[in-house]
């Protein structure tokens, strides 16, 4: 079925360390993979996304890698800061052309300790 | 561009009442998604609509739940005869295509008492 697995469910790091969150998806036709950050009580907000024709994308301290063969993608946050603490969701587009929807992982609660 | 607007932000209903949640997508967006989020959990897909059409409702319970996105006006998620288990945050997102960035609204927090 349509499924996105996300690991770990919780992650605690020291300020300045790197954090890595991994996701796998089930639909080999998926071609769009966004990552969202959700702070407590707020809406999810897009932080970075990648399409299947690209293997890696970077935006300052955030990078995402995609391995289409293995059907997994990862979020990398370097030089973490306390304000990076939030829940992070990966997602993959699934469905037929023109009717794709985003299927989300269950989230990773990241805590950056000062 | 005001972004995706959801109202109300908070909604309290007694068991058996109806809950009606509204979502106005971003200007120019014709794709709307509804997700449910339980406390400490992820975003569970419910339904995907385009103007006047339900594209995918595979995540929506067969009974008591319905959704629409009329030609004019906001998308509506309707829950009839609410039960305590319906208490959750309901998020709406919109995009201009099915596989592009989706923007989320602030959510409606439904509490059934």
């Amino acid at each position: 079925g349509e499924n996105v697995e996300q690991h770990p469910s919780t992650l605690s790091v020291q300020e300045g360390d790197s954090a890595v969150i991994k996701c796998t998806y089930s639909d080999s036709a998926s071609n769009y993979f966004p990552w969202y950050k959700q702070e407590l009580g707020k809406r999810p907000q897009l932080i970075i996304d990648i399409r299947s024709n690209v293997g890696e994308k970077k935006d300052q301290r955030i990078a995402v890698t995609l391995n289409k063969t293995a059907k997994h993608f990862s979020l990398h946050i370097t030089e973490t800061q306390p304000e990076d603490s939030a829940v992070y969701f990966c997602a993959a587009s699934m469905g037929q052309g023109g009717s794709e929807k985003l299927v989300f992982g269950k989230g990773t609660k990241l805590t950056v300790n000062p | 561009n005001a972004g995706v607007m959801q109202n109300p932000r908070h909604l309290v209903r007694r068991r058996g009442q109806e809950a009606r949640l509204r979502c106005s997508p971003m200007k120019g967006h014709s794709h709307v998604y509804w997700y449910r989020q339980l406390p400490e959990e992820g975003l569970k897909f419910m339904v995907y609509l385009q103007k006047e059409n339900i594209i995918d409702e595979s995540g929506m319970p067969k009974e008591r739940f319905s959704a629409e996105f009329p030609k004019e006006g906001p998308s509506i998620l309707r829950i009839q005869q609410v039960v305590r288990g319906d208490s959750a945050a309901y998020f709406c997102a919109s995009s201009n295509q099915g596989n592009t960035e989706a923007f989320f609204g602030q959510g409606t927090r439904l509490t059934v008492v």
Side-chain angles (χ1 to χ4, degrees), chain A residues 2 31-32 36 38 40-46 49 51 89 93-94 98-107 109, chain B residues 3-4 9 31 33 35 37 40-43 45 48 50 55-56 58 91 98-106 109:
Chain A
E2 298 172 333
N31 60 12
Y32 176 62
Y36 285 82
Q38 187 179 28
L40 189 64
K42 296 190 176 179
R43 75 181 87 190
Q45 292 197 299
L46 182 80
D49 56 10
R51 292 198 172 272
F89 293 97
S93 62
M94 295 190 184
S99 60
E100 292 95 343
K101 61 181 182 284
L102 289 178
V103 176
F104 284 81
K106 292 192 174 182
K109 184 175 182 180
Chain B
V4 179
R9 291 287 307 279
H31 298 241
Y33 311 83
Y35 292 86
Q37 187 175 40
E40 305 291 320
E41 292 194 12
L43 294 154
F45 169 77
Y48 166 31
Q50 294 179 27
I55 306 301
D56 184 337
S58 58
F91 285 96
N99 61 348
T100 58
E101 178 179 358
F103 294 83
F104 280 83
Q106 294 272 41
R109 279 152 184 81

Side-chain angles (χ1 to χ4, degrees), chain B residues 8-67:
Chain B
R9 291 287 307 279
H10 300 275
L11 182 60
V12 180
R13 284 288 177 265
R14 295 186 186 281
R15 280 177 294 171
Q17 290 185 319
E18 178 180 288
R20 197 173 283 239
L21 289 61
R22 294 176 199 80
C23 170
S24 296
M26 283 183 72
K27 189 175 181 181
H29 286 187
S30 59
H31 298 241
V32 166
Y33 311 83
W34 286 93
Y35 292 86
R36 178 162 68 176
Q37 187 175 40
L38 294 170
E40 305 291 320
E41 292 194 12
L43 294 154
K44 185 173 181 298
F45 169 77
M46 297 182 73
V47 62
Y48 166 31
L49 310 104
Q50 294 179 27
K51 283 284 187 182
E52 300 184 277
N53 285 308
I54 297 175
I55 306 301
D56 184 337
E57 55 182 349
S58 58
M60 202 151 69
K62 294 286 186 284
E63 296 178 355
R64 301 189 298 109
F65 285 72
S66 62

Side-chain angles (χ1 to χ4, degrees), chain A residues 75-112:
Chain A
L75 178 72
H76 304 251
I77 307 174
T78 57
E79 300 171 26
T80 53
Q81 301 165 4
E83 50 265 39
D84 294 329
S85 297
V87 180
Y88 291 80
F89 293 97
C90 64
S93 62
M94 295 190 184
Q96 300 297 322
S99 60
E100 292 95 343
K101 61 181 182 284
L102 289 178
V103 176
F104 284 81
K106 292 192 174 182
T108 297
K109 184 175 182 180
L110 173 66
T111 303
V112 180

Side-chain angles (χ1 to χ4, degrees), chain A residues 22-87:
Chain A
K22 299 181 179 182
C23 289
T24 58
Y25 58 97
S26 59
D27 187 353
S28 56
S30 295
N31 60 12
Y32 176 62
F33 307 91
W35 286 86
Y36 285 82
K37 175 183 179 182
Q38 187 179 28
E39 295 175 347
L40 189 64
K42 296 190 176 179
R43 75 181 87 190
Q45 292 197 299
L46 182 80
I47 54 171
I48 195 168
D49 56 10
I50 192 168
R51 292 198 172 272
S52 57
N53 58 348
V54 175
E56 184 174 356
K57 185 177 177 180
K58 192 172 181 181
D59 182 4
Q60 298 183 0
R61 297 187 296 109
I62 295 173
V64 57
T65 59
L66 171 65
N67 183 328
K68 280 223 75 178
T69 304
K71 291 193 284 188
H72 67 69
F73 56 114
S74 301
L75 178 72
H76 304 251
I77 307 174
T78 57
E79 300 171 26
T80 53
Q81 301 165 4
E83 50 265 39
D84 294 329
S85 297
V87 180

